[in-house]
Amino acid sequence: MSLLAVGVSHRTAPVALLEQFAMGVPDTVKALHELVESDHVSEALVLATCNRVEVFAEVDRFHGGVADVSRVLARQAGATVEELSPYVTVHYEDQAVAHLFSVAAGLDSMVVGETQVLGQLRAAYALAREERTVGRALHPVAQRALRVGKRVHTDTGIDRAGASLVSVALDRTESRIGDLAGRTTLVVGAGSMGALAASTLARRGASVVISSRTTASAERLAESVGGRAATLVDLPAELAAADVLLTCTGATGLVVGTDVVAAAMSGRTGRPLVVVDLALPRDVDPGVAALPGVHVVDLALLQGERHGALLQGERRGAFPEGERAGADGGPLPASVAADDVAAAHAMIEAETALLRAERQAAAVAPTVSALRSQAADVVDAELLRLSSRLPGLDARERAEIARTVRRVVDKLLHEPTVRVKELAGVPGGTDYAGALRALFGLGIDAEVDPEAATLAEAVTGDPGTHLDRPAGSTP
């Protein structure tokens, strides 16, 4: 069994495609069960955020696993595997572990060092546990990822990069209308992102109004930030008075239409409105961006600015002034020291090595157990045969013969079983367990399914593109 990570993220896919992957809890539950019911996936965890949809799975074959996961992702996006292939990333074993650890630490986020993804990973793991789609293989991987993410944020200064997309979006907002202190801000959505947005706005001195489909949730959040709640029915009137509209609901359709915003703008006498849409799929009708006096800040804009900064830095042979290369090659705010990022990477590398050793030791354990079980069966059979051939032996003699035979077998097996456990921790070490299985007839892995390999190739495409192949695998 091997760990596989397959998915799309802001690094490879445009926001328009990420919108197609938007998953609520029911969608995620359906995907989890589809995955573990497929031919090659035994355990699965789905991390779905506004920046990524990635599947971390325990699979029995690389190509078959990629094919199974890709089918589920394609179904969720309403696309074919071939259409999806240019945007998919595939990581395998150590690369998959290191990637998950980087995600948990905020090193792979649109805003390097953000902390929200750690909570999202925790929720994804809890859901997978509740649905019983994680087991002995993925439990330690997910738990280690959560510990690594927390440790990186605790032991380095990487948090200074910014708490989340909310901070970056509000910085962009202030560049449009100035300081938010004293400004009226309307937050639509009272979930985790809404709570983060509301608390961030309150810290910046804004007057916060919370609106949500659930009145009780809006009231609780409003009270916690010293704001007030409003019903969705009052949205047009509240919008007319607001300087900023920030939406982050979990709705699957549009929440704020162009007509609503146009009506709110009609009586503002030129006062601008900034619309911050951090939902995926988007909450606000794209047509709002064309209205006079309305400035839209959404995920597509933030992604475009990030890529623009990258291109500008590449043309100059350096990153924009005040920035340096981030974990994924993207710009990193100057407030994050290079040694903080280096320290984070060192932690991830060390933790990946530790987990590799643990997983490899666990991988050879069944071989060692099977070998000793086989030896015990042989000993028992031979002692039984001896008993029938020498019926005159008394109980003491039989016991002594049995102890002697078992000591001989234990001594013969001691060195190979100890060595195979030691060698499991070195690169390619599990090959020794395979040799042991072959030599003692304990079972040999089957060949790769050609059809699954062909489909996996359609996903991975050209070797080296968005792909970490297992050592020794063929394209």
Side-chain angles (χ1 to χ4, degrees), residues 361-430:
V364 303
T367 297
V368 172
S369 177
L371 179 59
R372 290 194 172 278
S373 177
Q374 184 185 73
D377 289 343
V378 170
V379 169
D380 289 342
E382 289 302 316
L383 289 175
L384 183 62
R385 195 162 69 94
L386 180 66
S387 178
S388 64
R389 287 190 171 189
L390 300 174
L393 292 175
D394 59 30
R396 185 183 63 78
E397 291 170 331
R398 292 177 190 278
E400 183 59 34
I401 291 172
R403 282 194 294 271
T404 300
V405 173
R406 290 195 170 97
R407 279 198 300 270
V408 170
V409 172
D410 283 343
K411 288 181 178 180
L412 288 173
L413 293 183
H414 176 74
E415 185 64 21
T417 54
V418 168
R419 287 293 292 156
V420 80
K421 289 179 181 179
E422 291 174 347
L423 291 169
V426 303
T430 52

Side-chain angles (χ1 to χ4, degrees), residues 172-354:
R172 189 73 171 76
T173 299
E174 289 185 324
S175 73
R176 288 285 187 177
I177 62 173
D179 196 341
L180 291 176
R183 301 272 190 175
T184 300
T185 58
L186 174 60
V187 177
V188 180
S192 58
M193 181 70 86
L196 180 59
S199 60
T200 305
L201 284 164
R203 284 197 299 271
R204 297 194 182 199
S207 174
V208 183
V209 180
I210 309 293
S211 186
S212 172
R213 287 173 295 180
T214 307
T215 303
S217 298
E219 290 174 345
R220 281 196 299 271
L221 179 54
E223 183 179 359
S224 70
V225 297
R228 62 181 178 84
T231 65
L232 288 177
V233 175
D234 297 327
L235 187 61
E238 295 291 347
L239 187 55
D243 297 295
V244 178
L245 166 66
L246 191 151
T247 66
C248 46
T249 76
T252 55
L254 295 177
V255 176
V256 181
T258 302
D259 56 339
V260 175
V261 180
M265 296 300 294
S266 62
R268 295 171 69 93
T269 61
R271 185 163 56 92
L273 172 69
V274 177
V275 176
V276 181
D277 188 351
L278 298 181
L280 196 71
R282 67 191 71 198
D283 284 332
V284 181
D285 191 322
V288 165
L291 295 175
V294 178
H295 307 289
V296 175
V297 178
D298 59 11
L299 294 175
L301 174 67
L302 296 174
Q303 185 185 52
E305 289 185 342
R306 180 180 183 277
H307 290 170
L310 273 172
L311 291 174
Q312 183 183 358
E314 289 171 358
R315 291 191 190 103
R316 293 203 313 259
F319 288 97
E321 185 176 353
E323 297 179 336
R324 54 177 64 86
D328 61 354
L332 186 66
S335 58
V336 182
D339 54 358
D340 288 325
V341 176
H345 279 299
M347 289 180 194
I348 289 171
E349 185 177 348
E351 292 288 353
T352 299
L354 285 173

